Amino acid sequence: MAEHLEIASGTKDDKYSLLYRQIESVIEGENDIIANMANVASMIHFTFDFWWTGFYRVVEGELHLGPFQGPLACTRIKHGRGVCGTAWATATTQVVPDVDKFPGHIACSSASRSEIVVPMISGGEVVAVLDIDSQYLATFDHTDQTWLERIVALLTR
Ligand code: SME
């Protein structure tokens, strides 16, 4: 494995395409989900230089903070609360161009301006969410959603 992440130049789609292949090879042969979440959070974070990139896992009926890169974050989120709890409750990706306009958004950091949360589904149940925060408005679009959903699916296959 390369000692540092080769970061593609070109379009966002090009970057995600390379990142996806790198993630596939890094998690291949490792079945510890926490270890894989840790590397995936790091690889996404440093490819795009996001503000915060990490996972929350469903543990005993709540979301618990999991592996992440970025400033410290809230440790527990209830079902249906905030962007993460909504992605969990609805089992759908939440793309939030302006967090101040999302009712109930949980501000772990005042620097966060836009956010995407992708549910990880295994056996028909949401088992975790991938949460990414940006310091800029409207960072995330359909390209991010498509690729991040593919990346999250890799973690459960
Ligand atoms: N903003 C999230 C909480 C998690 S932090 O962004 C890391 C939310 O509203 O669910």
Side-chain angles (χ1 to χ4, degrees), residues 10-84:
T11 65
K12 182 154 78 172
D13 203 61
D14 294 335
K15 290 186 183 184
Y16 271 116
S17 177
L18 177 61
L19 175 63
Y20 181 87
R21 282 177 278 126
Q22 288 169 328
I23 288 173
E24 253 188 328
S25 87
V26 164
I27 70 178
E28 193 191 355
E30 176 54 71
N31 64 9
D32 185 315
I33 189 76
I34 304 278
N36 286 336
M37 284 174 167
N39 273 333
V40 168
S42 172
M43 293 166 82
I44 295 171
H45 191 76
F46 290 105
T47 294
F48 293 103
D49 202 18
F50 290 134
W51 177 251
W52 194 95
T53 309
F55 290 89
Y56 283 88
R57 294 182 307 132
V58 176
V59 180
E60 294 168 359
E62 274 184 329
L63 289 174
H64 288 196
L65 182 62
F68 72 94
Q69 293 284 333
L72 87 167
C74 351
T75 55
R76 297 187 184 217
I77 297 173
K78 292 196 188 309
H79 193 252
R81 297 289 302 277
V83 187
C84 291

Side-chain angles (χ1 to χ4, degrees), residues 2-155:
E3 277 185 24
H4 57 86
L5 187 61
E6 182 199 341
I7 296 178
S9 51
T11 65
K12 182 154 78 172
D13 203 61
D14 294 335
K15 290 186 183 184
Y16 271 116
S17 177
L18 177 61
L19 175 63
Y20 181 87
R21 282 177 278 126
Q22 288 169 328
I23 288 173
E24 253 188 328
S25 87
V26 164
I27 70 178
E28 193 191 355
E30 176 54 71
N31 64 9
D32 185 315
I33 189 76
I34 304 278
N36 286 336
M37 284 174 167
N39 273 333
V40 168
S42 172
M43 293 166 82
I44 295 171
H45 191 76
F46 290 105
T47 294
F48 293 103
D49 202 18
F50 290 134
W51 177 251
W52 194 95
T53 309
F55 290 89
Y56 283 88
R57 294 182 307 132
V58 176
V59 180
E60 294 168 359
E62 274 184 329
L63 289 174
H64 288 196
L65 182 62
F68 72 94
Q69 293 284 333
L72 87 167
C74 351
T75 55
R76 297 187 184 217
I77 297 173
K78 292 196 188 309
H79 193 252
R81 297 289 302 277
V83 187
C84 291
T86 302
W88 175 20
T90 61
T92 55
T93 296
Q94 304 295 305
V95 178
V96 181
D98 181 349
V99 295
D100 290 337
K101 295 193 173 132
F102 188 96
H105 167 255
I106 301 162
C108 292
S109 159
S110 58
S112 173
R113 308 292 300 283
S114 61
E115 181 163 1
I116 185 168
V117 182
V118 180
M120 182 186 302
I121 297 166
S122 178
E125 302 266 300
V126 176
V127 294
V129 299
L130 167 65
D131 178 16
I132 306 178
D133 289 17
S134 164
Q135 307 135 274
Y136 309 106
L137 289 170
T139 294
F140 305 103
D141 59 19
H142 190 68
T143 300
D144 300 276
Q145 176 173 353
T146 303
W147 281 106
L148 293 169
E149 287 176 353
R150 285 181 194 156
I151 287 167
V152 163
L154 280 178
L155 284 166

